[in-house]
Amino acid sequence: MQPLNNPEAIIDFCLAPLNLDTRTEAEREVRRRLEHVIKTFRARLAQPVAVDFSEMPLQVINEAAHGQE
């Protein structure tokens, strides 16, 4: 996966697992707030920020420890 530079692409990637209805006011408000956070963060750094989700550490769930094998 390529690092994501575009705020909209970052937000789309983060919200995808939630499968939100894009026609709701709540979904639009979440996007507006996240876009504000990303733009504010970039402005404070004074440079573009890329997010590489392929570098995210994996979460390993030990199903055997929870009685599910």
Side-chain angles (χ1 to χ4, degrees):
M1 171 180 226
Q2 296 292 331
L4 302 173
N5 294 314
N6 181 324
E8 189 174 321
I10 295 168
I11 293 167
D12 287 345
F13 183 84
C14 291
L15 293 181
L18 299 176
N19 198 27
L20 299 174
D21 183 353
T22 58
R23 298 169 298 198
T24 65
E25 184 59 36
E27 195 269 350
R28 287 189 289 274
E29 180 64 14
V30 167
R31 287 182 176 279
R32 188 184 69 76
R33 290 179 183 195
L34 289 171
E35 186 173 345
H36 175 72
V37 168
I38 293 169
K39 288 181 177 180
T40 301
F41 184 68
R42 284 181 169 179
R44 303 271 188 212
L45 288 178
Q47 63 186 10
V49 174
V51 180
D52 187 354
F53 287 101
S54 66
E55 296 295 320
M56 236 172 100
L58 298 175
Q59 290 185 339
V60 178
I61 299 171
N62 184 347
E63 292 178 352
H66 298 281
Q68 301 172 7
E69 297 186 63

